[in-house]
Amino acid sequence: MLQGLFFFAPQHISVGCSMITTFADPFDALLSLQRELESRFASDWLEGTTTSRGPFPPINVFQQGDDILALMELPGIDKNELQIQAKANTVRISGKKRVDYSNDVSVHRRERVSGEFDRTLSLPVQVDPDRIKAEYRDGLLALFLPRAESDKPRSVKLK
């Protein structure tokens, strides 16, 4: 991993009663960091993930009253390739994105990624799996996640 990145030693200089810390050459350290990052991006170490940049699918989660709404961007994915599972306070979304090319083409640039994905969403409340509704349209998956009755706060009457 980033070997030799921060090997430069701090130098302590006393000025009166205060201590100032300087580094031998901070530009060498930044240049070293840049070289390490460029070498990582030049390799294929990120290619194992579906998007190669952050978690996939991207998810926005909203609370509407007691219930939760989760919106996921899943462009180009067939709804038959999606699996949704829910239990307690987690929802798991998995599937496969296919990008097929004909055998007689030469690919010059490939930015559309493909492959399997599996993402688990942890929620701040327990959900009722039997009442979950899912809608998938134009590459957008909307999950309506109702809060479980057993998880809702109860009013206690004083005697």
Side-chain angles (χ1 to χ4, degrees):
M1 208 141 43
L2 303 174
Q3 297 172 0
L5 178 60
F6 296 106
F7 65 91
F8 57 95
Q11 299 171 357
H12 300 289
I13 302 169
S14 294
V15 178
C17 61
S18 51
M19 177 82 75
I20 299 173
T21 301
T22 61
F23 294 95
D25 190 354
F27 293 108
D28 281 343
L30 289 174
L31 187 57
S32 177
L33 173 62
Q34 181 179 358
R35 285 183 187 140
E36 287 290 332
L37 289 173
E38 286 173 355
S39 72
R40 295 294 181 209
F41 283 116
S43 71
D44 62 352
W45 78 284
L46 286 174
E47 295 302 317
T49 62
T50 303
T51 63
S52 297
R53 305 256 192 262
F56 184 86
I59 301 174
N60 288 345
V61 180
F62 307 93
Q63 186 164 355
Q64 296 178 320
D66 285 335
D67 301 334
I68 304 289
L69 170 63
L71 297 174
M72 284 150 268
E73 294 179 6
L74 297 164
I77 297 176
D78 183 353
K79 71 177 185 177
N80 296 321
E81 295 284 343
L82 290 173
Q83 295 85 41
I84 303 167
Q85 299 171 330
K87 180 180 179 183
N89 69 330
T90 60
V91 176
R92 179 179 176 209
I93 303 99
S94 59
K96 187 170 191 173
K97 181 176 180 181
R98 299 177 191 273
V99 178
D100 295 324
Y101 300 101
S102 144
N103 289 337
D104 61 344
V105 300
S106 173
V107 178
H108 293 278
R109 185 176 186 102
R110 188 180 68 171
E111 294 181 2
R112 294 178 59 220
V113 293
S114 62
E116 294 182 3
F117 61 90
D118 192 330
R119 182 113 190 247
T120 300
L121 177 62
S122 294
L123 303 169
V125 297
Q126 303 286 320
V127 295
D128 184 349
D130 296 326
R131 294 182 21 225
I132 292 176
K133 294 179 185 172
E135 293 180 14
Y136 184 63
R137 186 176 36 217
D138 298 329
L140 188 65
L141 175 65
L143 291 177
F144 302 93
L145 307 163
R147 189 172 183 178
E149 290 296 323
S150 60
D151 192 57
K152 291 181 182 177
R154 302 276 190 246
S155 297
V156 177
K157 293 184 179 181
L158 296 173
K159 294 183 182 185

